[in-house]
Amino acid sequence: MEQLIGDRAVEDERSLIKPPSNVPTSHQENDVSTSTGQSHQATPCFVYTLAFFSALGGFLFGYDTGVVSGAMLLLKREMNLSSLWQELLVSITVGAAAVSALAGGYLNGLFGRRICILLASFIFSAGGIILSVAKSKEVLLCGRLTVGLGIGIASMTVPVYIAEVSPSHLRGQLVTVNTLFITGGQFVASVVDGAFSYLPYDGWRYMLGLSVVPAALQFVGFLFLPESPRWLLQNGDTQKARLVLCQIRGGVNVDEEYESIRSSIEEERNSSTGGPVLWRILTSAPTRRALIVGCGLQMFQQLSGINTVMFCESCMLNPDCGFCYGTNGTAVTESSCMPVDAANTETAAAGRCSNGTLQSAGIFWAYNYCPTSYSWIVLLGLILYLAFFAPGMGPMPWTVNSEIYPLWARSTGNACSAGVNWICNVLVSLTFLHVAQYLTYYGAFFLYSGLAVLGFVFVLGCLPETKGLRLEEIESLFGRRLCSCGASGSQGVHYIRPRLELGALHYSTLEPEGRISYISVSISKKLFHPHSNIK
């Protein structure tokens, strides 16, 4: 190597990477060289503000899915809800979210990301108000339907918006904030459920109605926040797109990023064959592969059984038994495990709980539950499951889907993958009890474990690394056959040379025969021998 490279080569290559004379000094001062060989501009607080207000949509998602379990305990008693009505009130939200997520792709392309987030927060606010003032179960059903429509639009729009406004080195971190807010929403929902569960009447109104607060905050915030610069450029508003990009990046030089986005859009327009976006996705091999990966990730997220783990009651241990007990203040007295009545699970087969729960006598019947000294094993398994799910399959499907599609397919691709997520959510929820009935609860969770292993194989074989790449560069990662997407060396390769002062060698391929789509080289002089020659 030392015999091939000399001072002259260093000077020649330096001239290749020398910044143009018209680039301001502030641009050079604001660039931070990183180990990946890319220069990252100093990130202003405005990007974090955008991410915060966007991620409130994730908070609403988490809050609604978490608060309904506590509210349903009170609603069941106050409105005398049957099992069918309980299932309807829970599942109607998920079904509505699936439909609105699929429709969200069209709405995003037509109105933009900002308008769709405003629409989602407005719909969610309306749904929260309807739920808080509902006088009948029919009005409750209408409120739950409205809330679901808002959740579906937000679930596919928020990750897209955050990804499009974030600098490449912070994109994964900021999109993941949305999932962090989902978890935070579930936690706050549990606290609210506990706080208002002691009210003798109407405690559920506060539980369901408080969702209006973050929804209204998001709506007001987005009245003052900008549209995605990529959507603006795609729709021909070039001047505003440049202004928004400068605003988001803190006023530093954005020429390179702006030109990269503009060139990508122009190239797509020149090569477009027309027709519906979904058809163009299916007929474009790289985009089709990206869609398969995105939908597959969302499918395996739900098929791994997260909703049965999060929302399945702790009493679901033995379908043949129940727990009959009395209470003395807060203490449990005279408790015993009893076989369930085969004809009516609301009562025991014999004994004092054969009439079900008798609150006036202080006697309670809990179906499908018997205490055991080994219950700590279940708790440990739950903790381990959530600890590994939270940083992995929880946020990553949303993060990956927000960045793997080209701009023209991003809204539709995210809509399809979000729709798959909600459909699989409904599928798992509707089949869990039947699966548990035929396979037992232990068998059901072995089934989910097997599906999680399949998900692991899918990710290992099909998901390429996108870290540090601009959104416009990621499409090339899907240029080859799907089963080689995740293999090292089979797709775009990202070489990292930590000792380079100004950068690194970075290349990626677009075609199966391995043609190089772009090369950027920056070299530090001190890496070369001072007396070497190049030929």
Side-chain angles (χ1 to χ4, degrees):
M1 184 70 179
E2 292 180 354
Q3 295 176 355
L4 296 175
I5 303 177
D7 287 338
R8 180 179 177 183
V10 171
E11 295 300 327
D12 290 344
E13 294 185 11
R14 272 185 167 180
S15 66
L16 291 176
I17 61 171
K18 184 179 179 181
S21 59
N22 60 346
V23 177
T25 305
S26 61
H27 172 64
Q28 301 170 19
E29 293 175 350
N30 278 286
D31 280 358
V32 181
S33 180
T34 65
S35 61
T36 63
Q38 293 176 321
S39 57
H40 293 158
Q41 296 172 350
T43 306
C45 294
F46 189 56
V47 172
Y48 295 102
T49 302
L50 292 174
F52 170 79
F53 280 99
S54 301
L56 285 174
F59 181 88
L60 293 170
F61 177 11
Y63 183 87
D64 180 79
T65 54
V67 80
V68 69
S69 56
M72 200 58 63
L73 294 175
L74 303 181
L75 282 167
K76 180 171 61 175
R77 182 178 66 248
E78 288 190 31
M79 291 197 171
N80 194 25
L81 298 175
S82 64
S83 297
L84 175 61
W85 268 97
Q86 293 177 54
E87 292 173 350
L88 279 175
L89 288 173
V90 173
S91 61
I92 192 66
T93 300
V94 180
V99 173
S100 63
L102 290 171
Y106 174 76
L107 296 175
N108 267 255
L110 184 63
F111 300 113
R113 290 46 161 148
R114 174 176 173 270
I115 295 298
C116 282
I117 293 177
L118 283 169
L119 177 64
S121 55
F122 176 80
I123 292 174
F124 204 101
S125 298
I129 293 173
I130 293 173
L131 290 171
S132 64
V133 300
K135 299 293 184 181
S136 65
K137 54 190 178 184
E138 289 80 11
V139 178
L140 276 173
L141 188 67
C142 179
R144 293 288 295 165
L145 173 66
T146 305
V147 164
L149 294 175
I151 289 178
I153 296 174
S155 67
M156 64 82 42
T157 306
V158 167
V160 172
Y161 181 81
I162 296 178
E164 290 188 345
V165 301
S166 301
S168 58
H169 65 292
L170 287 178
R171 187 175 61 247
Q173 173 187 332
L174 294 179
V175 175
T176 304
V177 167
N178 183 56
T179 307
L180 176 63
F181 272 50
I182 293 176
T183 308
Q186 291 170 339
F187 171 75
V188 172
S190 300
V191 173
V192 171
D193 280 348
F196 291 103
S197 61
Y198 295 100
L199 294 181
Y201 299 102
D202 293 339
W204 57 269
R205 296 186 186 277
Y206 297 98
M207 297 177 186
L208 299 175
L210 282 175
S211 62
V212 174
V213 176
L217 178 62
Q218 184 184 49
F219 183 86
V220 173
F222 262 88
L223 291 176
F224 304 97
L225 296 178
E227 178 57 79
S228 161
R230 286 175 167 85
W231 185 86
L232 291 171
L233 257 175
Q234 187 181 34
N235 286 269
D237 198 344
T238 56
Q239 184 176 4
K240 188 172 182 181
R242 182 183 286 274
L243 290 174
V244 170
L245 196 59
C246 288
Q247 181 185 12
I248 294 173
R249 298 293 180 261
V252 298
N253 189 282
V254 295
D255 289 345
E256 183 181 354
E257 183 175 2
Y258 176 85
E259 287 301 321
S260 175
I261 299 170
R262 188 190 61 78
S263 298
S264 176
I265 294 173
E266 288 298 324
E267 181 180 352
E268 187 278 322
R269 285 175 179 168
N270 294 333
S271 61
S272 175
T273 57
V277 175
L278 183 58
W279 173 252
R280 290 162 57 194
I281 290 175
L282 296 177
T283 54
S284 170
T287 315
R288 182 176 65 246
R289 293 171 188 136
L291 182 65
I292 293 173
V293 170
C295 291
L297 288 174
Q298 295 286 25
M299 178 184 70
F300 282 113
Q301 184 200 65
Q302 292 300 315
L303 294 186
S304 64
I306 179 61
N307 283 322
T308 60
V309 172
M310 285 293 293
F311 306 118
C312 176
E313 294 185 14
S314 58
C315 63
M316 290 186 173
L317 297 176
N318 191 336
D320 299 321
C321 297
F323 191 45
C324 186
Y325 64 98
T327 58
N328 182 12
T330 58
V332 175
T333 61
E334 301 179 7
S335 59
S336 59
C337 291
M338 299 291 296
V340 68
D341 187 346
N344 181 13
T345 58
E346 298 296 325
T347 64
R352 57 183 179 156
C353 282
S354 58
N355 292 323
T357 297
L358 301 174
Q359 293 185 6
S360 59
I363 299 173
F364 298 89
W365 167 253
Y367 165 61
N368 212 8
Y369 172 71
C370 266
T372 169
S373 58
Y374 297 100
S375 58
W376 64 270
I377 298 178
V378 178
L379 180 61
L380 177 62
L382 175 65
I383 292 173
L384 289 175
Y385 180 96
L386 294 176
F388 285 95
F389 184 89
M393 284 302 286
M396 286 303 104
W398 300 101
T399 303
V400 170
N401 270 280
S402 69
E403 59 188 18
I404 60 175
Y405 306 107
L407 182 58
W408 61 269
R410 191 165 298 144
S411 297
T412 302
N414 273 272
C416 291
S417 62
V420 168
N421 182 286
W422 288 106
I423 291 170
C424 291
N425 187 326
V426 174
L427 179 64
V428 171
S429 301
L430 291 179
T431 59
F432 175 69
L433 293 179
H434 293 85
V435 171
Q437 180 181 355
Y438 290 104
L439 299 181
T440 73
Y441 290 111
Y442 312 103
F445 284 104
F446 273 116
L447 174 63
Y448 296 138
S449 298
L451 291 170
V453 171
L454 288 179
F456 171 80
V457 175
F458 178 81
V459 170
L460 188 65
C462 297
L463 180 63
E465 181 58 69
T466 61
K467 179 181 178 182
L469 299 178
R470 288 180 180 167
L471 293 177
E472 289 69 34
E473 299 171 341
I474 292 175
E475 184 180 4
S476 63
L477 299 178
F478 295 91
R480 292 188 176 182
R481 57 190 178 89
L482 187 62
C483 62
S484 64
C485 284
S488 60
S490 63
Q491 288 291 341
V493 182
H494 197 181
Y495 287 95
I496 299 176
R497 311 284 176 96
R499 293 183 61 189
L500 294 181
E501 287 185 338
L502 298 178
L505 176 64
H506 180 207
Y507 73 88
S508 179
T509 62
L510 277 173
E511 302 297 337
E513 60 268 25
R515 290 201 300 267
I516 297 176
S517 61
Y518 61 88
I519 298 180
S520 58
V521 182
S522 53
I523 302 176
S524 173
K525 181 175 181 180
K526 69 179 182 181
L527 290 178
F528 303 96
H529 194 279
H531 302 295
S532 59
N533 296 310
I534 186 170
K535 296 182 180 179

